[in-house]
Amino acid sequence: WLATFDPHRCELQKKREEFWDTQPYYGGDRVIWDALKAACEADQETCKLIIESAGIIVAAPDMTICYDERGAKYELPKYVLAEPVNLTKDE
């Protein structure tokens, strides 16, 4: 994906922290948000295990849309899932 914001590593980390700090307050279960965060920060195998054990249903192949077992929707921006192709190193 291509970032439309300043794609420095520190700015990406800031946006990720901001998302995870605020998103749970807009709905959904805190436990599911915590599982999604852990899955996003894990390697692929661990991610799959976390998703399965939390009962999360991945509705989009890139994991941007997920649901819990009760049907609550969780939308994840691409910047919490992967680094952009135009990421620049911090100076």
Side-chain angles (χ1 to χ4, degrees), residues 16-51:
R16 286 176 173 172
E17 288 172 9
E18 192 175 283
F19 174 81
W20 292 119
D21 287 345
T22 59
Q23 192 59 33
Y25 298 105
Y26 294 103
D29 188 327
R30 180 67 186 201
V31 173
I32 299 297
W33 282 116
D34 290 345
L36 286 168
K37 180 180 181 185
C40 288
E41 295 172 351
D43 62 77
Q44 190 172 1
E45 279 301 309
T46 305
C47 174
K48 289 170 84 174
L49 288 172
I50 293 168
I51 293 295

Side-chain angles (χ1 to χ4, degrees), residues 3-12 15 84 86-88 90:
T4 58
F5 59 90
D6 180 17
H8 285 85
R9 187 171 302 280
C10 65
E11 184 63 26
L12 177 63
K15 285 183 74 64
N86 59 334
L87 182 70
T88 56
D90 295 328

Side-chain angles (χ1 to χ4, degrees), residues 54-68:
I56 297 169
I57 301 154
V58 178
D62 61 0
M63 216 172 105
T64 54
I65 300 174
C66 300
Y67 293 90
D68 64 20

